[in-house]
Amino acid sequence: MGDAASTKFTWKIDNFSKLAAKKLYSDIFIIRRCKWRLLILPKGNVNADHLSIYLEAAESTNLPNGWSRDVNFGLSVINHFNNKSTVRKDTKHVFNARECDWGFSTFIPLSKLKDTAARYLVNDTLTVEAEVQVHSVVHYSVPEPVKEVIKDEPKLPKPVQTPADQPTTVEPPAATVTAKPVNQTGGAVQTEAPIKKQEIVKESLPPPTIVDEKNLARDPPSISVPSSPDVEKISKNLVTEISNRTRTQKSIPNNEFPVPSQATNPELVHQKKEALLGFFNMSLEAIQQANAFRNIERIIIELANNTTITLQEKTILEDLASRLTEFQESIPNSTIVTETVKDRRISLAEKTANLNSRLEKRQKEISSLVEKFSRLSEEEAKLEAEIQRLMMRKEELVTQKKSAAVELQKANEGASRELEEWRGLEGEIKESNGEWRGAKEKLALANVRWKLFKEDLGLGNLNIS
């Protein structure tokens, strides 16, 4: 089974015959980074006339879900005076949360164990030995030691660029190595070293967070995103350029505007105002499509240089002239953003429809699995109830069997007594038969003698009147 020094555990139980407990556990021992202990039932489990011994995965309730151990093991009750009388039984088992202990309910008869001639108890001390070979393990009991603790703060991972058609994954930070007591360890850790009061373990990290794609505002793939220094530089240049252009346009003297010959005509001024008002009622896209920004600029200049307009009107016209270029330049950007948003909305609508379809399929799948799980749970409950019923029936049968055994023993004892009595009567009958045969022979002999006597006397010739 492997190296005896690493796979054997010996348990000496003192005052065995005086034990009153129904169950008795050994100390925890470690093999292949797994905690184990032995369990004995001094008065037996099912049958009260046998010793029960089991191997148990210790502290199994502290192990993570899904733990298991594939093990071959042998259990022995040692006879120190005659090695050939040592009782050993071997088996194999996959330990898990449902079956965390495995062994033998009828290991050795208690009558044989307590027989002084058998010599299993030495000074009322019983020696039990376990030899364990672990083949595979899912989730170890003993944490893996770490040579040194990393005290520095973990560095944040670099951002990962994801394609536009995939959900964004937020990478978790690197694992933080900390010191934690063994009895608080909940994750799957491994170690070859013996257990100490405190072990160094690695904390398990949370899984990556998946961010819903619907909540992300992403730029379209065709638009490249400049780096932060470039954006800052471009922004500063634009601010400077706009500021200089605004100051330049505001500083233009009134006499630099070209003055047409009809500038003082009131009717012409009224027509230009109506034309400008008509442009105000149009959208920027319509003005762009009509290529009318130059016409608006020309009308503003002519009206601003007209002597018949008020100072307030002139101020408004000059401010409009300074902002006209800005409005004209904003149209292409707005158009691009509008088209981009439109394309994005179409793309998101398609993805939403796709997700809704997938969610409907997933919902049907989950509903089917829930129904299957419920059905299996009901079947399990029925089987469990049937098992409990059979166990109770078995206990009743065992009780009846014991009662029948007692009655059979009494009947056997009565039959034995009656048989002995019959054997005594048989001797008397034989003796009586002998006496009867002797008496019969004597009677026959007497009859013969009587006949001869009669013949000798001649009584046959007597005339008796």
Side-chain angles (χ1 to χ4, degrees), residues 237-252 318-329:
N237 293 337
L238 286 175
V239 170
T240 303
E241 182 179 355
I242 292 172
S243 178
N244 292 338
R245 182 179 60 80
T246 303
R247 286 198 300 269
T248 302
Q249 289 183 352
K250 286 187 177 182
S251 62
I252 297 177
E318 289 178 353
D319 184 57
L320 179 59
S322 65
R323 295 176 179 268
L324 189 62
T325 304
E326 180 181 350
F327 289 136
Q328 186 177 2
E329 291 176 352

Side-chain angles (χ1 to χ4, degrees), residues 352-367:
T352 301
N354 186 21
L355 285 174
N356 288 335
S357 176
R358 286 159 53 191
L359 286 173
E360 289 178 359
K361 293 180 180 179
R362 189 70 68 182
Q363 183 180 9
K364 292 180 181 179
E365 180 182 2
I366 292 174
S367 300

Side-chain angles (χ1 to χ4, degrees), residues 20 75 121 132 155 162 202 236 288 305 313 348 371 392 422 448 464:
L75 301 175
L121 296 177
V132 183
K155 296 182 180 180
T162 57
K202 291 185 178 179
K236 288 182 178 180
Q288 176 72 18
N305 286 279
E313 291 176 337
L348 290 176
E371 182 179 356
M392 294 176 63
W422 177 82
V448 171
I464 302 174

Side-chain angles (χ1 to χ4, degrees), residues 55-167:
L55 176 66
E56 180 181 288
E59 300 179 359
S60 59
T61 56
N62 296 332
L63 294 173
N65 292 333
W67 71 272
S68 66
R69 300 169 183 176
D70 187 4
V71 178
N72 285 11
F73 66 94
L75 301 175
S76 304
V77 172
I78 306 299
N79 190 314
H80 294 284
F81 294 92
N82 186 0
N83 190 36
K84 294 182 179 179
S85 298
T86 294
V87 180
R88 177 188 173 99
K89 294 186 179 182
D90 296 277
T91 185
K92 61 181 179 179
H93 180 62
V94 178
F95 291 80
N96 51 50
R98 293 177 63 87
E99 296 178 340
C100 62
D101 55 53
W102 197 257
F104 306 93
S105 58
T106 56
F107 193 86
I108 183 174
L110 292 176
S111 58
K112 181 179 179 181
L113 185 65
K114 296 179 180 179
D115 186 2
T116 56
R119 310 293 294 274
Y120 285 102
L121 296 177
V122 180
N123 297 327
D124 204 18
T125 298
L126 179 69
T127 303
V128 180
E129 186 177 85
E131 188 173 358
V132 183
Q133 183 180 11
V134 182
H135 295 290
S136 62
V137 178
V138 177
H139 296 305
Y140 292 85
S141 302
V142 181
E144 181 180 5
V146 178
K147 294 184 178 180
E148 60 182 28
V149 179
I150 302 174
K151 296 182 179 180
D152 297 335
E153 292 293 332
K155 296 182 180 180
L156 294 176
K158 295 181 180 180
V160 179
Q161 295 182 355
T162 57
D165 57 347
Q166 296 180 358

